[in-house]
Amino acid sequence: QPQEATPKQDRAVAELEEAKKELEDALEQLRKEEREETLRDLEARFRDMLLKQRPINDGTAALDQLGRENFKRAEQLQLADLATNERALSEQAATCLHILDEEGTTVAFPRVVSQLSQDMGTVADRLAGAEVGALTQTIEQEIVDTLEQLLDAVKKMQQENEQQQGRQSSSSDKEPPLLPPSAELKLLKASQQRINTRTAVITEGAATGKESPEAAARGLKGLAARQVQCSEIAKQMRDRQGQQ
């Protein structure tokens, strides 16, 4: 009796399509909630790091004004504390990097956080060596700038998610990135600007004798590696856009 079976088959297909759509909507909602939770977590971590970085910068500037030749035991202890606090921030940044690597939808975001962690480690090493001059303070200010830029990118993405709340989202097999390409490109641009600024500071420090030739060479070698990294980020972003 195929004539009786056909309507039931059609209803079964329609019910399966409806069930499929409901499942896709539920998965999309789950992915969206996970992205929002990741953004909230990162915002809290970046804000905490920024709050802790500023006193380190202030302490470094105060010690530089005092002059390295005037350091006594109290100043040495203060330097040790600043270095310890900065190294702890580097570990916090490494935790953020792990979160982004696990999330896996962005290109520039995790690399910039990796650079942030490296810069914090560099500052910790320089503070431990009682180096509180221009280069150390430049890197410290870059850390603050980077944290503010990361916070700005996260907050803008959160606002974008809120604005999309009432809109009907089309289901897609491709998961949207944690940050849009425009925000990632802005982070990449800021990273390039930091390379430019630090190159000038190292060059001036070497010319005036404030940085030893060995320290300047190490700094420039690190910047060369970072420049290569920026080039790789740009290529990955280009390739990803070409695949969309």
Side-chain angles (χ1 to χ4, degrees):
Q1 299 175 326
Q3 68 278 8
E4 294 182 14
T6 299
K8 295 179 181 178
Q9 291 172 341
D10 292 340
R11 283 199 303 273
V13 170
E15 289 170 1
L16 284 170
E17 285 294 333
E18 184 177 353
K20 178 186 175 186
K21 185 178 183 307
E22 289 176 357
L23 180 58
E24 288 174 344
D25 290 344
L27 289 172
E28 172 60 26
Q29 180 61 29
L30 180 60
R31 286 195 295 265
K32 185 175 181 181
E33 290 173 358
E34 288 175 345
R35 289 196 301 272
E36 290 172 349
E37 178 60 32
T38 299
L39 288 169
R40 283 194 297 269
D41 183 29
L42 290 171
E43 181 190 11
R45 291 176 185 274
F46 292 146
R47 199 176 297 282
D48 180 62
M49 284 189 280
L50 183 59
L51 186 66
K52 293 174 179 176
Q53 181 65 49
R54 286 182 169 135
I56 295 175
N57 293 16
D58 293 340
T60 304
L63 288 168
D64 187 36
Q65 286 184 346
L66 179 63
R68 185 172 178 173
E69 66 279 2
N70 298 316
F71 289 179
K72 295 183 174 60
R73 178 168 174 74
E75 286 73 31
Q76 294 294 343
L77 290 173
Q78 185 180 357
L79 279 168
D81 285 343
L82 292 175
T84 298
N85 293 341
E86 191 69 66
R87 211 170 295 284
L89 289 181
S90 178
E91 293 173 1
Q92 284 185 247
T95 300
C96 293
L97 175 61
H98 177 71
I99 293 171
L100 289 169
D101 284 340
E102 288 290 314
E103 198 273 339
T105 64
T106 53
V107 177
F109 200 176
R111 305 291 280 274
V112 170
V113 173
S114 176
Q115 293 174 1
L116 176 69
S117 180
Q118 292 170 8
D119 286 345
M120 290 170 167
T122 298
V123 167
D125 291 340
R126 292 181 68 86
L127 290 173
E131 298 177 28
V132 293
L135 181 55
T136 300
Q137 292 180 58
T138 296
I139 301 173
E140 287 178 340
Q141 184 56 50
E142 289 174 355
I143 290 171
V144 167
D145 294 342
T146 303
L147 286 168
E148 289 176 343
Q149 290 156 4
L150 290 170
L151 270 171
D152 184 59
V154 167
K155 286 190 288 186
K156 284 183 178 177
M157 193 59 194
Q158 288 173 320
Q159 291 170 0
E160 188 173 319
N161 286 340
E162 290 175 2
Q163 291 169 359
Q164 291 176 346
Q165 282 284 342
R167 303 176 191 169
Q168 187 165 359
S169 60
S170 59
S171 60
S172 173
D173 293 335
K174 187 171 290 186
E175 185 176 354
L178 193 65
L179 290 184
S182 59
E184 291 226 283
L185 191 59
K186 189 173 180 180
L187 291 177
L188 179 58
K189 178 185 175 183
S191 180
Q192 180 64 59
Q193 289 172 330
R194 287 191 291 273
I195 291 173
N196 298 2
T197 300
R198 201 179 305 180
T199 301
V201 172
I202 291 175
T203 302
E204 182 181 354
T208 58
K210 294 179 180 178
E211 288 290 322
S212 68
E214 295 79 13
R218 285 197 305 272
L220 291 174
K221 184 177 180 180
L223 288 179
R226 185 161 295 186
Q227 186 66 71
V228 171
Q229 190 178 62
C230 284
S231 175
E232 292 172 349
I233 294 170
K235 289 176 182 176
Q236 289 177 15
M237 291 178 68
R238 179 201 61 192
D239 293 343
R240 179 167 290 193
Q241 284 297 104
Q243 293 171 0
Q244 292 179 354

